[in-house]
Structures are given as C-alpha cells and as structure tokens.
Amino acid sequence: MIVRRVLAVILLILGFGSAARAQSAIAGVVRDSSGAVLPGVSVEASSPALIEGSRAVVTDAAGGYRIENLRPGTYVVTFTLTGFRVVRREGIVLPTSFTAQVNVELSLGAIEESVVVTGESPLVDVRGSVSQSVMNREKLDTIPTGKDPFSVGQLIPGVTTSTPDVGGTQVMQQPTLQVHGSSNNDNVFMVDSVQIQHIGFGGNQTGFYFNDGLMEEISYQTSSLPAEAPVGGVQINMIPHDGGNTFHGTVFSTGANSGMQANNLSQDLVDLGFKAQNRVDTVYDVNATLGGPVRRDRVWFFGTARRWSANNFLGNTFTSTGAQAIDDQHITDATIRVTWQATHNNKFSFHYDRSIKWRGHRPNNWLSASINDPISDVVQTTQLNYIGEIKWSSTIGRRLLAEAAMFTLPVNYTLGFEPDAAPDTIATFDQVRSVISGVSPRMDTNSARMFTYAGNVAYVTGSHSVKIGTQVRTGWSQELFTMHGDMLQIVNNGVPNSVRLVNTPSGHKEEGVNAALYAQDSWRLGRLTLNPGVRYERFVMSIPAQSAPAGTWVPARDFAAQDDIVNWNTVSPRLGASWDVNGDGRTAVKGGISRYDRLEGITIVQPLNQRFIAFQVCPWVDGNNDLVAQVSEIAMARCTGSLQPSLGNVDANLKRPHQWEYTAMVQRQVGATTSVSVGYYGRQFGDLYTTVNAAVPPSSYAPVVITNPLTQQPLTVYNQDPATRTSVRNVVTTIPSLNQHYSGVEFQVNTRLTRATFFGGFTIGSDRGDQDTASSCTGCGSDFNNPNNLINNNAAIGFDSTYQIRGGWTYRLPYDVQFAGSIREATGLPLTRVYPVTTSIVPGLTQVTQNVQVAPRGDFRYPWQNLVDIRFVKIVRAGSLRIEPTVDVFNLFNDDAVTSAVTTVGTSLGRPSAIAMGRLVRIGGRIAF
C-alpha cells in the first residue's frame, strides 16, 4: 500500500516527465546448434551492481532479447530453456550507455546440465550510434587529473577548452567545453541521467560544483545524440555510486604548495611585459566516502564528503602595494544517497548534495581593471546551494519499463564587500591607471531556483525498443545590486574627473519554462539497427513583476510583469544507424544526421528589465581636495546618461539557434582487448542572433580608407552619419547571413591488456564562421548593422584547434607499483587583432572610438600546448585494507604556453596575462576498504 501511494504521488507530480535514460543494455539472439532461432528462452542478467540482484526477459519469436535499464558493472547472463543445457556467460563488463551484444548457442541436454562461458566483453556497440567516452572509477582514481568533470573532460578526444587545468589549479571555476565545433552554450550536465542545468545566464552553467567521490562513472556523449538529449555538444552524465551489499569506503588526500612548483617564466615572456606568472600558492583536496547496506538487497546508502581548494597568484596582477594578487578560495561538499528496492519491480533513489563555496578575493562583476586593491574585491559566500533529486524506476511486466524523476537546485550566494572596507567609503576608479581602490564598486546578491521534472516509458522486445518521454525545466534567476553611496568616483592619474550616479538599489529577475516531448526508437533489422527519433521543445521566457526600494538618486519603483517575451517552438528530427558488418559484434559502421536546438538561458530577455542597473555621468570638481565627492561638488546640470535603463527589444520573430550534425564512423574490435575507430564529424549552425542598433541601419555609414597597422595596406572602415549619433534602439534579432560550420576527422584507440590500459585520440578539424552572441570575442562588436563589425568577421571561431591529441594510460610495474599518466597536445586557439580607430586616425569620426578586427581570427594563434601528467602509486595491502601513496607530476615538461594575452593593437599587444601553470609536484594517497 505504501509503495502504491508513493508511486501514485510521483506519477501525479511528474506526469511521466522524462528522465534521460543513460543506463545500459545487454541484447542478442539465441539459436540452437543448427542455427535456428529459439523463442521462449529465459534470459537473466545478474550483477552486484543491481540492488534487485537480477533482471530477466524471454526471447521473442525471432530469438531476440534485450535487457534494458542496467547499471554499469560486471554481469553474468544465464540462458535457460527446457530440453537444452543452461548457458552462463560470465565476465561481461558493461559501461554506461552501452549495449553489449551477447549471442549464444544452446545445445540439447538436460536442464540440470550447464555450460559456463567466460568470453571477452564486447568493446564495440554495434546497435547504438552515439559517440561517447566513459571514464570509469578505475580511470578516475588512477589517472592524474583535477578530479572534477571539467578537468577529466579535457582528456576526451575532440574536446577543447580555453583554460587547461594543471594539477587541480583551475577546478574552482567551471570552464566551457566544446567538442567538434559545438557551441559555447551546448554543455549539458546530468546526475544519474537527470539534467541539472541552471536556467539563468546563458543556460550553459550548472550552478554547482561536483564531489568526485560520488561518481562511479562519468559518461561524455559527444555526437549522434538521441532525441532525449536536449542539445548537441558535450553531454556529461555523472553516474553516482549506489552503495552495495557490503560496506566499503575510501579516503583520498592530496596537496601541493608554491615550493613544489617549477618556474616557467621565460625571458621571452618577460620581454613581452609578463613580469609575474600565474602560479600556485596552495592546492589541496580531501575526499572521503562510505557506502553499504541498510538492509541487504533492499536498502543501500552511499555518502561522501569533500573539501578542496586552489589558491593561485594571478598573472601580471598586483595590489596597490605592488604585491602579486592572489585568488583564494575553497569548496566544501557533502552528499548522501539512498537506494530503496521497494518491490522486485520498483526502485527509488533519493539524492541530497549540499555545497558551500567561499572565495576571498574575487574581482567585482561590474567594472574591469588591471589592478584591484584587495580591499576593492568582493567576498563570495554561499547561503544555499544543493541538489535534491528523487527518482523512480519500474519494470512493468517483461516488456514495459517506466522511469520518473524530480530535481531541484537553489543557487543563493553573495558577492559582498570586503569586511575591512569602511561602510562610508566610495569606490574610486582610476581609468588611466586602470586601478580600483577603496571598496568594490558594487555588491551582488544572487538567487535562483531551478526544477526539472523528468520520466519516460519504454516498450522493449528483442528487436525493438520504443521510448516516449517528456522533460520540463523551469526556474528563475535574480541579481540585486547595492553600492556604497550609490556612486562611483572616476579619477585620471589620481585627479578627480567625474562621478557615476547609479540607480541602486537595482537588479533584475527573469524566469522561464523549457518543456520537451520526444520519441526515440531503436529497431534491429538483421545486422542493421536504425535509431530514429524526434524532439519537440517549447521555451518561454518572461519578466515577472518586481520592485526596487528608493536609493540616493531614485525613488521606490514598481515594474509590471512582461509575459511570454520569447516563445520558441521547435522540432528536431534525429536519425542514427549502426551496421554490424560481419554479424559477430566486432565491426560496426555507424553514423547519424541530427538537428539540435542551441541551449539558451533567460538572459536573452534581460535587456527589457526596467529594474536593471543604469547611471548618469556627472562632472566632479573636488573643491576641498579630500577625494570624496560631495553633492555640492557635482555639476548636476551637466550630467549625461540616464538613471532609467536604456531598454532593448527582442524581435517578435526571433528564432532559436539550431545546428545540423553529420557523423560517420567505423569501429573495429581487434583481439579481445582493443578497439579502434575512425570517424568524420560535421556541424552547421543556423538562425544565429545578435543585438543590433535598429535605429542606425547600414546605410548610415560611409566608407573611409585608412592604413592597416599590421599589413600597412589600405583598409576600409566606416564612419557613422552624425545625424544618428544619439539614435539607439537595440534589438535582439536573428541574422540570416551569419553561419558557423565545423568539419573534422578523428582516430581513436582503446585497449586493456593484462598489465596496462590505454585510451586516446587524434583529431584534425576546422571550425569557422561568424561571431554571434554566444561566441563573441573580446573587443569585437556584435551590432552587424555597423559594417565595421563585419570586417574580418568570418574566420576561425570558438575553440578552433587544428590538431589535438588526447590520451591516458596505466601500467602495472613489479612490486605493486603503478605508473599512470595523460597527454594533452593541441594547436593554440585563434587570436583576434583589434584596432581602436579614433578621431586621431579618422578626423570627425562620429563613433569617437571604433574597434575593428584588422586580421582574420586564426591568422594569429596562441602557442601549441604540450601538457603531460604522470603518477606513481605504490599499492600496499593489509587484509581488506588497500593503501596507495601517490606522487603526481603535472606539466612534466614545464610548458609555458600563453593562454591569455592582450589582443588590442598598441604598445601592449601580445602581453600575456596568463600561461599554462608550471610543472607541479603533488603528493597524496588513498586508503580503500
């Protein structure tokens, strides 16, 4: 009765909303010794990974069977039919999102007789068309990384990022990952196959930091994604531990300090103006886990706690005293997970994960400067941040499966003033020296709440699997802004110049609902498996009613709701196919054609929010020379700007950006332990959008010829009609002429020998196109009514890297010593060359300053990256206890590739602001029982 009531409540709440199914399957055909198919054979898959112990099906009329919804683990499959000997196929290793083909032949004999077969585990999925890489617990524990999904993801073939991690020094922030030309927006994060995406900002953030100890495996799906996947790009699915029927646990610890890092500041870098490199102060990571049964085969638990930190000196960044600035921060996380097998066919899992982040000196979010006095930074503190998830899985008879889930994520944090800052101090910005002093210009109070409702039903036969589901993401995001005195003081070389009078307290709040329906089929036709699917999405964005209290310069304000500003409805068909060439499950030709929407966030409608921050600029004469602006010293009558936000507009016909992806691949299992593949990947984007000034059309610009400072050749730029100088009507709109496209080839190898493992890939690709809102470069304009922003705009784009090598290995040496490592080699990312055209170059230039790209992106690049990391582990066993002291060496060859530099043409062009972290030795250990 209790189980039925709980089930009824979940179904009522979720309406069978859809969870992405990333569990695995075992499938195949059963024949007799003559080759005839055998219907009615009982097929049972058992594993310690299943809390219910086993799952069973019966072969259909064609002798086919398929056991779905299996967790990663090692399985035994038993085949039973009256009049035939029982066959037990043992040692089948099943990773996440993989269909293992296991065909067997039954011979005549008594049912009491059995044949045990310990064969090779299938390495090629001859039924699925998805491209994926799986990092299991063994790899996560053995290969040296920063131990988070982003640093681990940098080992996946084809994946690129702008900030390579060295020894966990970058894991306090979450870099964007791209694969095969995917968009910056298209990163999807899941825990136990349930999407946990932040709906705010650009839609590509998680709003959460992950506990490595929780994860049993991490699956990185990169191409030919099924209809249940919302977008195309890197889809990261973190499969958590479930506990088990035996108690087990681990304690992991590692750390390093500045004395354990090599100096990689070369004279060439110093000559470029890089006086102090980014480097480690301290880095550490402590992680403990414990899992086991509350009641065997019925209730399991798993818990983990983690504390990690990376305190880094910032490259070429100094305090007002001349000391090198430091970015100090740490994260604490605790997770508890309970799995309950309520009945043989109904399983529930409950997941709670609480995270707290502290960052002592974070640059403010409003005003950028080269130098931040520590007192002018902000302190990031977490008020409430957790993942709460409940999931139900059910086997309804032998052919029908159902799954439902609900997820919630609150994100509440503050970017507050430094505690030592005096409450009456006004922030000062020296715009010539690029220095902020006194106090942070602004304090931000951020809050958001996200919900995901998910589930699906699947009908499965031996040759057919049809799945229908729905996914609903909903939530809101808000930022509140306050300032000391509601004012910012502007000085030039210490001399008072002006003040910004700001409409604080201000802020913004937006909300959205992203709902989807999908159908996915998998149909086995002899050796060919077709995987067609279709996905419908509706994304609605609104601005709720909100208010702001009175400030120094503005009264209390109330703003009405603006509903359904964006209302997108899209349909995305997908077709994948896989051909088992020889029918032996060892060679597959597969590929697909897929349409994906681009992942978006509710920031799109933010320009319409009347509560957003705005300011006036007013002359300031410091009559008493105290460097504190009094009202009597401010020339109010000469203020420019407005305390009302300059509202933008969203085109009523704005389309959701999308992409078409084309893939083709050949995979081959070589021997019992190795698989190789070669694949082609293509991607084409459409319906890209940006913000244009509709009040100033292209016809309002006149050509002017200047000299390109790089080539000394003539360059045509454009001067705006002076009559349109004050004309502003910003509109977010689709630009049909914008395009982005990727084409590449990738080679992969995976092998597991008796004493060694290796995985790796070599990717050759080209990513080209136009900058748009999701891929804008520093200093590049996005108003494409302004023809200056079209100059050299179609070129290399995103994280274009022509050649990439990714890989990892382990090797067991004598005396229980293990040697492991990884390699990350890549062509440097493309650089821009932005030239500020001013009135000294074009007299009478209406824009006063106009940035122009004077070289195509990719003509200049960052240096080649060469990052090799190694680990030595000594394994000591004492009964059930396993002790593993470790020594890691990151960036073995002390690479000093520049990762960030000035791209503006001028005296500072090419000056680095960050390089790859120098060689770092990290010492730690792991205890397991």
Side-chain angles (χ1 to χ4, degrees), residues 196-200 206-207 407-411 448-452 473-477:
I196 55 169
Q197 211 80 11
H198 196 310
I199 203 169
T206 65
F407 154 85
T408 184
L409 170 66
V411 182
R449 191 69 182 259
M450 269 61 68
F451 296 90
T452 296
R473 288 194 309 134
T474 182
W476 54 267
S477 180

Side-chain angles (χ1 to χ4, degrees), residues 85-89 107 113-117:
R85 293 186 177 92
V86 174
V87 172
R88 284 170 50 88
R89 178 71 182 274
S107 58
E113 300 178 72
S114 64
V115 178
V116 177
V117 180

Side-chain angles (χ1 to χ4, degrees), residues 774-851:
S775 59
S776 181
C777 59
T778 302
C780 305
S782 60
D783 176 7
F784 292 136
N785 274 357
N786 182 343
N788 292 291
N789 295 326
L790 296 174
I791 297 172
N792 289 316
N793 188 55
N794 192 283
I797 198 169
F799 297 163
D800 174 62
S801 182
T802 309
Y803 304 103
Q804 302 167 54
I805 300 172
R806 300 283 188 264
W809 74 86
T810 66
Y811 184 74
R812 193 165 69 249
L813 299 167
Y815 307 107
D816 271 341
V817 174
Q818 196 165 44
F819 172 54
S822 67
I823 181 171
R824 289 170 288 161
E825 303 270 345
T827 304
L829 301 185
L831 282 165
T832 57
R833 286 292 182 260
V834 177
Y835 184 42
V837 179
T838 64
T839 53
S840 64
I841 300 169
V842 178
L845 182 67
T846 303
Q847 302 96 301
V848 182
T849 298
Q850 173 68 62
N851 286 339

